[in-house]
Amino acid sequence: MAIINEWLSIDKTSGTGNAQITLTASSYEELVERTQSLVIQGQRESVYLNVKQNGIVPSITLNTRTLNFEYVGGTQTVTVNSNVPWSAIVGEGDWFTVNKTSGEKGVTTISVTADRNSLYENKNGIIEFAYEGSVLVTLNINLEQKPTPTAS
């Protein structure tokens, strides 16, 4: 196997007659594509070959897409798995907080804390997870209403 460059190699560099060649590309974890041009020369003609390896598609996944809190509030965790650096955009509402609003690629655990609900209505909020401003996944936050008092 002959190395063409730092990411591409070829199994044969010479031969006679018709032959099949195999190009091997190393794994690639970047976002932009990479290319390499090759010239395969024969006695009568040359073949020009452009090799392109696509970049990865940005991905952010969560172990859950919804957190449901009882009216007393509390803290719950969410696992963020991403192949790119991410940022969390916290939606409107001052009744919940998140302990991390950004992270690197890999697995990160964040905590979401909801305050006690003193209202007789449900509260809803969101946290959007984005890469370079593009939202890739949304986490819904729900806080149930304070129980209605019962007459005795």
Side-chain angles (χ1 to χ4, degrees), residues 10-135:
I10 190 168
D11 68 338
K12 295 179 183 97
T13 58
S14 64
T16 57
N18 292 334
Q20 179 176 332
I21 60 169
T22 302
L23 296 171
T24 303
S26 62
S27 66
Y28 189 51
E29 297 292 323
E30 300 299 321
L31 295 169
V32 296
E33 70 182 36
R34 59 185 176 179
T35 59
Q36 177 67 46
S37 296
L38 305 173
V39 178
I40 301 172
Q41 293 181 312
Q43 288 181 338
R44 295 189 181 125
E45 64 182 287
S46 296
V47 175
Y48 296 88
L49 180 65
N50 290 316
V51 179
K52 177 176 88 169
Q53 188 173 26
N54 292 330
I56 61 171
V57 175
S59 172
I60 302 171
T61 59
L62 308 174
N63 68 319
T64 184
R65 298 285 297 272
T66 304
L67 293 180
N68 294 309
F69 290 91
E70 295 181 7
Y71 80 97
V72 294
T75 299
Q76 295 184 39
T77 60
V78 175
T79 303
V80 180
N81 190 345
S82 178
N83 66 356
V84 291
W86 55 270
S87 60
I89 305 158
V90 179
E92 291 184 27
D94 59 355
W95 57 271
F96 71 94
T97 57
V98 60
N99 72 327
K100 280 187 178 180
T101 57
S102 64
E104 295 301 317
K105 69 181 183 177
V107 178
T108 306
T109 300
I110 64 169
S111 297
V112 178
T113 301
D115 297 335
R116 181 183 193 90
N117 193 351
S118 59
L119 302 176
Y120 296 111
E121 59 186 45
N122 293 325
K123 293 182 179 183
N124 306 98
I126 61 169
I127 301 173
E128 297 174 319
F129 293 83
Y131 168 70
E132 292 188 347
S134 295
V135 175

